[in-house]
Amino acid sequence: MNDAAPAPVPTPCLVPLDTTEDVRNRDATVALLPIGSYEQHGPHLPLATDTVLACTLAQAIAAVHPVLPLPPLTISCSHEHAAWPGTVSISAGTLYTVVRDIADSLRRSGVTGLVLVNGHGGNYVLRNLVQESAGGGIRMALFPGGADWAAAADAAGVRTSAHSDMHAGELETSVLLHAHPSLVRPGYRSADRIADDRRHLLTLGMAEYTDSGVIGRPSLASPEKGEALIAHLVASFGEYITVLGA
């Protein structure tokens, strides 16, 4: 019997390594801020899943579109996951203030648009930030929106609905199987959990609806779906560049 701890898994580099001259030469007026979380994602995905997803998408966008990629925010509003070890949260007010400060700093350096590439559905306050930006200062957008995810999931052949595939399911597992397969632990093919009636989720937390932390069908995940999801989202991002006037 082998009781040794599993070997450490290499962590993908999530921080852009540009120099000042790289940024100057790119001359981008729209910045991308990946926003993830540090919360449980069942037994088969890492706590940093949402950050890895947001960074994977931001890096793919930056390879195609004229944008300035920023380092990610790795801890956000994950209070509904607090029952599981490892989950760490900050308040909505703190997240609001940090993003607002980043936007103000970017504006002073000549950036006119900021896209919040959000990997965590619980960051509801980001919608208010974007809403307020329409009144002046740096213009913001939230990406992907619900319609963006829905179109990408349909194009990729994701079979589980967005409502049923809430957490650590078919979509998230597919993206990691494509972009960072070494981060996906064994067992995801038998980890399905459907809990469609979650009307009191924000009050009671995730633990009321799932023992494992999974809500979705990771058994249906594949790297091909993950690749198609990212490709479709990258293509649809062009509309946001147009809206921000870049």
Side-chain angles (χ1 to χ4, degrees):
M1 180 176 179
N2 184 4
D3 293 326
V9 176
T11 302
C13 179
L14 304 178
V15 179
L17 299 177
D18 291 333
T19 67
T20 299
E21 289 306 307
D22 293 332
V23 174
R24 191 194 312 276
N25 292 334
R26 187 180 287 118
D27 194 28
T29 59
V30 172
L32 299 184
L33 178 63
I35 303 177
S37 70
Y38 201 72
E39 65 186 34
Q40 69 83 19
H41 273 77
H44 67 280
L45 295 181
L47 291 157
T49 290
D50 290 342
T51 301
V52 173
L53 192 154
C55 287
T56 297
L57 179 54
Q59 290 164 359
I61 290 170
V64 176
H65 297 284
V67 294
L68 170 64
L70 299 174
L73 299 182
T74 59
I75 295 176
S76 58
C77 304
S78 302
H79 310 281
E80 69 273 25
H81 299 273
W84 281 272
T87 296
V88 181
S89 290
I90 58 176
S91 71
T94 298
L95 181 59
Y96 177 100
T97 300
V98 170
V99 175
R100 184 71 261 173
D101 285 353
I102 290 171
D104 289 343
S105 179
L106 289 167
R107 179 180 53 80
R108 289 192 293 271
S109 67
V111 173
T112 59
L114 174 62
V115 179
L116 311 178
V117 182
N118 183 38
H120 173 47
N123 289 332
Y124 308 109
V125 70
L126 299 180
R127 294 175 61 88
N128 297 116
L129 270 162
V130 172
Q131 177 190 33
E132 292 172 10
S133 76
I138 188 170
R139 182 68 60 86
M140 296 189 202
L142 186 62
F143 183 80
D148 300 309
W149 278 122
D154 184 61
V158 172
R159 292 166 52 190
T160 316
S161 71
H163 179 74
S164 296
D165 201 54
M166 173 201 175
H167 194 68
E170 183 179 1
L171 188 149
E172 289 185 316
T173 305
S174 289
V175 172
L176 265 67
L177 282 172
H178 159 60
H180 304 286
S182 65
L183 299 183
V184 181
R185 302 288 181 92
Y188 70 91
R189 296 190 185 279
S190 58
D192 291 5
R193 164 68 175 160
I194 297 298
D196 283 348
D197 185 357
R198 307 186 300 272
R199 69 189 75 186
H200 301 297
L201 173 68
L202 295 184
T203 300
L204 301 176
M206 284 277 290
E208 186 70 19
Y209 301 98
T210 171
D211 293 330
S212 66
V214 175
I215 294 181
R217 296 196 290 175
S219 67
L220 299 179
S222 73
E224 293 78 17
K225 291 177 182 178
E227 181 178 19
L229 280 161
I230 294 297
H232 194 279
L233 289 171
V234 170
S236 67
F237 184 81
E239 179 181 347
Y240 286 76
I241 292 287
T242 301
V243 168
L244 291 172

